[in-house]
Amino acid sequence: MDKRLIGKRVVRNEDPRLLTGQAQYVDDVNLPNMAHAAMFRSEYAHARIRSIDVSKARAHSGVIAVYTAEDMGADCYPGPPLVSPPPTVKDVIFNSRRQVPLVKDKIRHAGEIIAVVIAETRYIAEDALDLIEIEYEPLPVVADIEKALEPNSPLVHDDLDSNLAAHLVQKKGDYESARASADVIIQRRFTIERGTAAAMENRGIVAQWDAKSEALTVWDTTQAPIPIRNGLAARLGLSESKVRVIAPFIGGGFGPKIMMFYSEEMLVPWLAIKLNRPVKWIEDRRENFYATTQERGQVHEVEMAFTRDGKILGIKDDFIHDTGAYDPYGLTTPLNTQSHVMGGYDIPNFTSEFRVAFTNKTIVTPMRGAGRPHGIYVIERMMDIAAKELGIDRVEIRRRNLIKPDAFPYEHGIIDQAFAPLIFDSGNYEAVLNETLKAVGYEKFIKEEQPRYRAEGRRVGIGVLPFIETTGVGPYEGARVTVEASGKIAVATGVGTQGQGHFTSFAQVVAEQLGVDVTDVRITTGDSAHFNWGTGTFASRGAVVAGNAMHAAATMVRKKILKLASKVLNAPEEELELEDGMVRVADIPQSSISLSDLAALANPLRGAVEPGTEPGLEATAYYGPQYGPTAFGVHAMIAEIDPETMMIKILRYVVTEDCGTILNPLILEGQIHGGVALGLGNAYYEKLHFDENAQLLNASFMDYLLVGSTEMPRIEVHHLETRSPLNELGTKGVGEAGAIPVPALFAQTMEDALYDYNLEIRETPLNPNRLFEIARKEKTA
Amino acid sequence: MEATTQKIELSVTVNGTRYERAIEPRMLLSDFLRHEIELTGTHVGCEHGVCGACSVLMDGEPVRSCLMFAVQTQGREIVTVEGLGTVDALSPVQQAFHEAHGLQCGFCTPGILTTVTAFLETNPNPSEEEVREAISGNLCRCTGYQHIVDAVLLAAKKKQAS
Ligand code: FES
Ligand code: FES
């Protein structure tokens, strides 16, 4: 493909409105006569509700209504399972338990909603929350995922025999015989704890009911507006065409904004209809810490079998995954972990068993990385440990095991998160490794710089490691491309957008085909009134799945343009060029017609549209991959640590990413920078501290540390492009990539920096205190 | 609790326009700007003074509008992101953010633009380290800050040149 715009550093179409305060976010929707909701949330993590008294709140001046589960009656039933049925793996167990709009009898995590107050202002609604009286019977709490699965544990769901939410085993080859023939067996245990996505914008919903036309409009901070529209219509007994869901500008998503259905998402539209008034609910930051889904809690028991020269014979990984109080999102996250625990290595024998545990904590659903960082953490920590035990350089042992370029497509024989076969479509892994080593100056650092630092008494370490990211999964997305009478191009797609630059990268894809400026392509995303088929923005799939649908639709429109122009200009199609919004006959510049004139001809007011043809220069296309492309990358870091304070300074950070065809390097680099920042948070700053009662101890930005501008190093991004053979554009996803390898890389770098401490890191996230503790223990051990 | 409904007359200038409103004394400045006079460009990310998304300029100084009551701005001059430039005429700082890709979702952006605009007045030729220090009170979850830092350095260069 001759690329004019794809791959160029184009600045973003959406910026001017975002930069001047003109872009609309959900909380910017102010409607006449709008009422405001505030949620009464449980303080207990596990308790029975003995009684609820909302009478004082109802009587409070300015309060419009107060609803409890009882008032909601038969309409108060659980949300739908988001991913169903469970995968068809032999002997799989999956117990589906989903959240309700309002809790009636038993609280299963702190922050669950017991009552909702609707008032003339948010201030009054919050005043009235103080007047609600609840009597609770506190129950013993399930806070720890391992204890949750012990036989005497209290039960999160009383109707189940245990807290087991799911159990699944996947195998490849025969691990036991690999083990029997191994020279070295390594066993370790790793713990990974929870963090939160902390998008800068909290969640929010505004719902408006037009009783006369029986139409519902909902503005929602969702990554998946179309499924929300379909689900709301079903729940509320409305025709899908009467429900419009708009996901306007969203202030960051990172996964948790795609949890269908949050309690509030079921509740607020219902209230708007019930009260026949527009209702707004905006989450505050404290609520976000309790009510917005979280991720990352897992415990792994791993065993790996190696030959003496470092060849991997097999891996066996048993892990427990924390799903919190409910499991609406099915097995996506633990399946992702399973798919990534072999990393980018050629591993013939694999057994992985996971158990998912219910706990009295906030619901777990995918968050940027979505189970992948866990898998990479496990395999890459094991590779480091093996390198030490076998006395092989840590880069060399990786090099010996990376999948070779001629082995693609590489089939694993297990299923991935989308229940599709786990197949790595393409890649050139060793080249990416070499590029990174060169960029970071690995040899020179090890041989010259590090010894010099050490002689000076400074502890400076280097880390280098690879990772894979399965991306761009199905089922499908679609796009409609239209040449408007003005000659500008209108494009609509169902995916929502949360800052990924879709208004620009998608415009590049379309402009590439139609010979117009990127600024002449106007994209509408996430509004069911404009495009009403689609699934959503998740799994690093926007650029792959929606991008290829755009490409297909634009290609169809291009054909229509050429066909019509050929007739009008009386020239064969092959001699026509599309450029600058015009169709020209090559070599005869005066023989041309503008897209605007062509659009008018294609939609005549008189005459006839020929039989078998459609009016207009428009096409709709869909793209649905059998399985998703797998991206690859290598990160390297050089960092100094002060062993007294455990404060770190990152001196270099290098990323080489191969995500196939690059649409826009500027946007791609931004995605990687942001991903790495989250990854560093997951490695050394961000941890949700729950106590033994499953009470969150750090539910504010004062106590939960996000990475700031002074902690972030400058990141150098390099690219290699191995086109994916799975789609026309050759793209692979990259949205989550930056975050995935960072905790593992950080651990390796710290072990190297603190070389004289004999340190082995087996947990994440760390923080200076914790690292100090581990280092001291290991030094004295 | 009823006493809070006592309203107070407020007169404040925002982006050059004088607004007079009777408001409750407990109304936050952020709510006043966003919902009372519908300048929704100012964003609220935490309501407890940490994220900086709500930063506006009061008499030229950055303040966190979620930590102030609107009545405290009596007679003052406020500038919000809407007062910095327009879609057709971006301010030099806005233009630099556009060129350097200093924003993704755009939610933290208004608070960063106001903070940086004031910062460059006092330090027109900052080093990278000074820029990082200047925006260290603004959280951004999307960009990893690198393109924001680049944008501020570019804005400084643009302003010097003009
Ligand atoms: S909203 Fe004011 S500092 Fe976060
Ligand atoms: S651009 Fe999204 S939070 Fe900064």
Side-chain angles (χ1 to χ4, degrees), chain A residues 199-201 250-252 254 498-499, chain B residues 102-109 112 139-143 148:
Chain A
M200 281 300 112
E201 178 199 38
I250 308 282
F254 313 120
Q498 307 87 39
Chain B
L103 67 157
Q104 289 183 27
C105 77
F107 200 78
C108 67
T109 311
I112 291 182
L139 294 175
C140 172
R141 198 54 154 171
C142 299
T143 63
I148 296 180

Side-chain angles (χ1 to χ4, degrees), chain A residues 19 25 123 197 686 714-715, chain B residues 31 94 105 141 145-146 150:
Chain A
L19 284 163
Y25 296 81
Y123 287 74
E686 298 181 33
R714 196 158 263 283
I715 297 164
Chain B
D31 285 334
Q94 288 167 324
C105 77
R141 198 54 154 171
Y145 306 98
Q146 185 158 324
D150 292 348

Side-chain angles (χ1 to χ4, degrees), chain A residues 482-504:
Chain A
T482 312
V483 182
E484 297 193 327
S486 61
K488 309 256 190 235
I489 315 298
V491 179
T493 178
V495 299
T497 188
Q498 307 87 39
Q500 299 91 335
H502 290 157
F503 301 91
T504 311

